[in-house]
Structure formats: C-alpha cells, structure tokens
C-alpha cells in the first residue's frame, strides 16, 4: 500500500518535469489528450476532486491556468489528496500519477 510520502514523491517528480518542460513538449500531443499539459491538467483535476470527496466537500470546477501552470496545479492537488486520503486511495493515485508520467514521458 502506498502512503502519503509515496504519492508526494511521484507527484513532485512529475510536477518538476512539467515545470521545466519547453513549450514545444508541453503542447505536443499524447494518446487520449490533445497535449501533454492537458493530460497533466486532467490528472490534477481528478486528484483535486478525490481530495474534495475525501474531505466531504462538494466537487467544483478545476481551473485551467494554462500549459505553464500544470506542474504547480498538480503539486497542489497532490498535496491536498495526500493530506486527506486513506491508503487505498493513495495507492490508486500513485498508480495514476505514474501512468501519466509514462504517457507524457
């Protein structure tokens, strides 16, 4: 089972990669998404939604702050989820983050 630290390590690795990624790669397509940035934005939105649900809060629209912000958005959403999720939810999130990391590699 994953713990919060495992999720944070996976999220930080992917977020850091996207923070330093050139625009040409950020905007390049990947299977299932028009751009790499869109894939990470979708991941961040899912993690944020799970964090809200785990905290008993109502889901809300996850903002699209643009391709250059997805690394920061992912980092925040991952931290929110790590603070409130149980072990099975953390393990699922880690697997999803790693899957997006491979997809966007």
């Amino acid at each position: 089972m994953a713990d919060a630290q495992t999720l944070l390590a996976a999220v930080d690795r992917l977020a850091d990669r996207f923070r330093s990624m050139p625009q040409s790669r950020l905007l390049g397509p990947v299977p299932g998404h028009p751009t790499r940035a869109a894939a990470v934005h979708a991941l961040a939105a899912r993690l944020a939604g799970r964090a809200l649900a785990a905290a008993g809060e109502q889901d809300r629209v996850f903002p699209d702050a643009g391709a250059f912000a997805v690394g920061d958005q992912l980092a925040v959403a991952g931290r929110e989820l790590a603070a409130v999720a149980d072990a099975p939810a953390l393990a699922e999130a880690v697997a999803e983050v790693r899957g997006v990391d491979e997809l966007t590699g």
Side-chain angles (χ1 to χ4, degrees), residues 34-71:
T35 67
R36 283 179 178 82
V40 171
H41 179 267
L43 171 63
R46 288 190 301 273
L47 296 182
R50 289 183 195 152
L52 288 169
E57 295 187 35
Q58 186 175 0
D59 198 14
R60 41 183 119 32
V61 175
F62 191 78
D64 184 348
F68 293 108
V70 295

Side-chain angles (χ1 to χ4, degrees), residues 12-104:
D12 285 345
R13 179 181 182 281
L14 184 57
D16 286 346
R17 190 161 57 85
F18 270 76
R19 286 179 182 127
S20 64
M21 192 175 285
Q23 182 177 6
S24 60
R25 287 203 34 93
L26 281 170
L27 300 180
V30 294
H33 300 278
T35 67
R36 283 179 178 82
V40 171
H41 179 267
L43 171 63
R46 288 190 301 273
L47 296 182
R50 289 183 195 152
L52 288 169
E57 295 187 35
Q58 186 175 0
D59 198 14
R60 41 183 119 32
V61 175
F62 191 78
D64 184 348
F68 293 108
V70 295
D72 291 334
Q73 287 184 298
L74 177 62
V76 170
R79 277 170 176 60
E80 291 293 322
L81 184 58
V84 296
D86 59 14
L90 291 170
E92 184 178 316
V94 167
E96 193 169 357
V97 170
R98 288 179 178 160
V100 172
D101 193 6
E102 287 181 26
L103 176 72
T104 61

